[in-house]
Amino acid sequence: MKLSTLRNPFTGALTATLTVALVLTTPGASSATPRHDPGHQRLEPRTHFVMAPDGSSGARVGGEGIPDVDSVKSTIASYYGDTGDGTANRTSSPYISELHRIQRDQQRYLHRAYERAVRRGEKPALVFDADDTTLMTYDMEVAAMHFNFDPDLQDVWVQDERFPATPGMVDFVNDAKDMGYAVFGLTGRNADQEEATLGNLDKVGYTPFDADNFFTEWVDPGDQPDYIDCASDDCTTVEYKAGTRRHIEKDLGYDIVLNVGDQWSDLQGGHADRTLKLPNPTYYLPSPNLPGKHEPWLAPHRRFTMKPDGSSGLSASGEAIPNIDSVKSTIRTYYNATDGIADKDASSYISETERLADRWTPRLERTCGRLDRHGEQPAIVLDADDTTLWTYDMEDAAMGFHFDPDLQDVWVQDERFPATPGMVELVNSAADAGCTIVGLTGRNADQEDATIGNLEKVGYTGFSADNYYTKWVDEADRPDYITCATEDCTRVEYKAQTRAHVEDQGYRIVANFGDQFSDLLGGYADHTVKLPNPTYYLP
């Protein structure tokens, strides 16, 4: 079946219009009344989140309290003016507007600071990071890497000098030089990338940078400068950058008036009169601060407001958008995942889903048994992915949270998915108590046999081909009971009308289970049960 909700091939985010509720009044549609759960659950995603940047929040919050990774990608895309191909708008976007406001504010400071330094007989200087401070990496991060950093591919982009200038920064840097400031570059790129980085900076219009004022990180330990002191063999970002700034000030005799970077680790450690953080929600590079150095103001936001459709990126500042790397770390903590593989024994996710199953299993046993004894035909409806079958390892380890339909089909046909924790017992207990088990999935008809085989393999006993609904592949195979507003049916149109059809067969759907709100919207169930899933969003 063709749906209007599709994962974007570049951002991995979703493009769709959410149908909030569906009342079937079209010709040929079910005459049943679309019942709604009377009150314990709002069928819409959360919009307010508290998230620590290091991912530790995943051990404390429920799945609905973690920003959904697809919604975060959509929000970032809106912020950069990315219309879906993974490239940033170069002329107009909220990101560009925010940078211009920052630059205007800093220009006034730089004039005053320069005059003050001259009066004092000092040598004023500015320090700039490279990536997303002077050169913009968005197109590489999203279109080329899909938010999954690849150092080999990054080196190709660096050596080919592919990066555009960060909006507004060429004029900002060149004007500072013309004002009289000494300008230094200080990047985490390595020494083998220095020549290409300087070439790229020159290509896009920067005039101050040269080999004498541009610092890159050494490749061989023997090349570590004498002025860099590190606590271990592997220097942290702050040790390297703060040590280099100390060298500029103490050894070269400059006063660093302003230190500019897109990462907090570019700014920590002192040795600058003032720091300037440029917005960048596309990656997060943390580093411990220097021993005894306490700079609590140099830290990411922890509270966020984000709508699920990505529209918050049109109005929020970059720092107010959940950072994609922090979101992934939080999700991995929630699933207790190592190398993209979820812990199958213990995690916050397992605890939450098993509590949900423990709460609903006895309730379903009582309801299914009572209705069955009274001659009714009780049923429960269950989605597949992350409702009965657990896709985390595919989403993270195999796909890096960037959906690949061809790879997904390999996993489906190979029946690789484990059961969602707690759900085998719930489903089998409901079946034993008298409920018919109905499967209703967004997987397509070509995947039906493998899906039912996977369900049987992991221990489900109630599913059968007669009561398992998959999406049609060819439009000619769309069932007569499905009527859609346009040629492309939405998820809610498909799923709600299928539940209506189930009830037209004489069943009473006592509970509808799904991990997406679109699994649950549209009525035709006594109760809706939302399972947690921050790994993708299908509106």
Side-chain angles (χ1 to χ4, degrees):
M1 168 179 130
K2 294 170 62 181
L3 287 181
S4 63
T5 300
L6 298 173
R7 294 202 192 188
N8 184 285
F10 292 96
T11 65
L14 279 293
T15 55
T17 300
L18 177 63
T19 304
V20 175
L22 177 71
V23 178
L24 303 178
T25 58
T26 49
S30 169
S31 61
T33 301
R35 304 183 314 285
H36 298 272
D37 194 337
H40 89 286
Q41 195 174 40
R42 294 183 63 183
L43 297 183
E44 58 186 23
R46 190 177 298 189
T47 57
H48 293 81
F49 306 91
V50 177
M51 182 184 71
D54 62 359
S56 60
S57 300
R60 300 185 299 274
V61 300
E64 295 302 317
I66 299 172
D68 185 277
V69 70
D70 278 347
S71 293
V72 172
K73 290 178 181 180
S74 295
T75 303
I76 292 172
S78 295
Y79 178 63
Y80 283 90
D82 176 356
T83 57
D85 63 356
T87 62
N89 190 313
R90 303 286 176 82
T91 58
S92 176
S93 70
Y95 171 66
I96 292 173
S97 297
E98 184 173 12
L99 284 177
H100 287 169
R101 287 194 300 271
I102 291 170
Q103 291 152 3
R104 285 194 301 268
D105 291 343
Q106 293 301 315
Q107 283 281 5
R108 291 190 288 271
Y109 164 72
L110 291 182
H111 281 285
R112 295 193 305 270
Y114 182 78
E115 292 171 356
R116 184 171 60 249
V118 171
R119 288 196 302 268
R120 294 175 178 175
E122 297 171 339
K123 297 164 59 178
L126 306 182
V127 172
F128 294 90
D129 174 53
D131 293 315
D132 297 293
T133 300
T134 50
L135 298 172
M136 185 169 67
T137 73
Y138 182 89
D139 296 356
M140 178 192 74
E141 292 287 343
V142 184
M145 296 183 182
H146 313 297
F147 293 107
N148 290 290
F149 185 72
D150 180 336
D152 294 329
L153 183 55
Q154 184 256 9
D155 190 61
V156 171
W157 277 64
V158 170
Q159 302 301 341
D160 288 349
E161 304 177 10
R162 297 185 188 181
F163 300 100
T166 301
M169 290 303 291
V170 170
D171 288 342
F172 185 83
V173 172
N174 292 351
D175 287 349
K177 178 191 176 186
D178 293 343
M179 201 182 302
Y181 280 100
V183 174
F184 291 90
L186 176 55
T187 176
R189 294 186 179 187
N190 65 53
D192 292 341
Q193 298 176 323
E194 180 174 322
E195 183 177 351
T197 301
L198 287 169
N200 200 157
L201 290 163
D202 181 69
K203 177 191 293 186
V204 298
Y206 292 99
T207 59
F209 298 109
D210 58 40
D212 292 331
N213 64 17
F214 199 80
F215 295 87
T216 52
E217 197 161 358
W218 54 96
V219 176
D220 298 319
D223 294 330
Q224 179 178 324
D226 294 338
Y227 56 79
I228 298 291
D229 295 319
C230 303
S232 66
D233 291 341
D234 294 326
C235 288
T236 67
T237 298
V238 175
E239 287 174 327
Y240 157 56
K241 293 204 166 188
T244 303
R245 293 195 301 273
R246 183 179 62 237
H247 167 67
I248 292 170
E249 289 198 319
K250 302 301 182 185
D251 301 332
L252 303 184
Y254 292 93
D255 173 47
I256 298 175
V257 171
L258 184 67
N259 176 28
V260 187
D262 68 295
Q263 299 294 310
W264 298 106
S265 54
D266 297 331
L267 310 178
Q268 294 170 308
H271 301 288
D273 299 342
R274 187 168 180 170
T275 59
L276 174 60
K277 172 70 168 65
L278 299 185
N280 181 8
T282 67
Y283 55 87
Y284 176 55
L285 303 174
S287 173
N289 208 335
L290 299 179
K293 200 76 175 177
H294 185 57
E295 299 169 310
W297 57 91
L298 297 180
H301 284 210
R302 290 172 174 257
R303 295 183 179 275
F304 304 93
T305 298
M306 182 187 71
K307 295 178 181 178
D309 63 359
S311 61
S312 298
L314 298 174
S315 56
S317 68
E319 292 302 315
I321 297 172
N323 187 285
I324 189 68
D325 280 349
S326 293
V327 170
K328 289 181 181 180
S329 295
T330 304
I331 291 171
R332 286 166 180 151
T333 299
Y334 177 61
Y335 286 89
N336 200 19
T338 302
D339 297 327
I341 303 297
D343 192 316
K344 304 304 186 296
D345 297 317
S347 68
S348 297
Y349 171 73
I350 291 173
S351 297
E352 186 173 8
T353 54
E354 288 185 343
R355 283 195 304 270
L356 182 149
D358 290 344
R359 184 168 64 250
W360 275 93
T361 297
R363 186 173 180 179
L364 290 175
E365 289 174 336
R366 292 191 300 270
T367 302
C368 294
R370 175 173 53 81
L371 293 177
D372 184 54
R373 288 192 299 272
H374 285 90
E376 297 193 45
Q377 296 185 70
I380 62 172
V381 172
L382 302 109
D383 175 53
D385 293 316
D386 297 291
T387 301
T388 50
L389 297 173
W390 189 8
T391 73
Y392 183 88
D393 296 353
M394 178 192 74
E395 292 286 344
D396 190 359
M399 296 183 182
F401 298 114
H402 174 69
F403 187 70
D404 180 339
D406 294 330
L407 184 55
Q408 184 256 10
D409 190 62
V410 171
W411 277 64
V412 170
Q413 302 299 343
D414 288 351
E415 304 178 11
R416 296 186 188 182
F417 301 101
T420 301
M423 292 301 291
V424 170
E425 181 180 357
L426 180 147
V427 172
N428 292 351
S429 295
D432 292 342
C435 267
T436 295
I437 307 303
V438 178
L440 175 54
T441 178
R443 294 184 180 188
N444 65 54
D446 292 341
Q447 298 176 325
E448 181 174 321
D449 289 345
T451 300
I452 294 174
N454 199 158
L455 291 163
E456 292 175 351
K457 178 191 293 186
V458 298
Y460 292 99
T461 58
F463 291 106
S464 68
D466 291 338
N467 285 311
Y468 207 86
Y469 294 87
T470 52
K471 296 183 298 186
W472 54 94
V473 176
D474 298 318
E475 182 60 26
D477 295 327
R478 176 165 58 87
D480 294 338
Y481 56 79
I482 299 289
T483 304
C484 303
T486 65
E487 180 180 350
D488 295 330
C489 289
T490 68
R491 292 177 57 84
V492 176
E493 286 174 326
Y494 158 56
K495 291 206 165 188
Q497 292 183 82
T498 302
R499 292 194 301 273
H501 169 71
V502 170
E503 294 206 328
D504 280 346
Q505 309 310 303
Y507 292 101
R508 175 176 174 177
I509 300 173
V510 299
N512 176 27
F513 290 78
D515 68 294
Q516 301 293 311
F517 288 103
S518 54
D519 297 331
L520 310 177
L521 288 163
Y524 302 102
D526 293 347
H527 297 282
T528 57
V529 185
K530 172 69 168 63
L531 279 75
N533 181 9
T535 66
Y536 54 88
Y537 176 57
L538 303 174

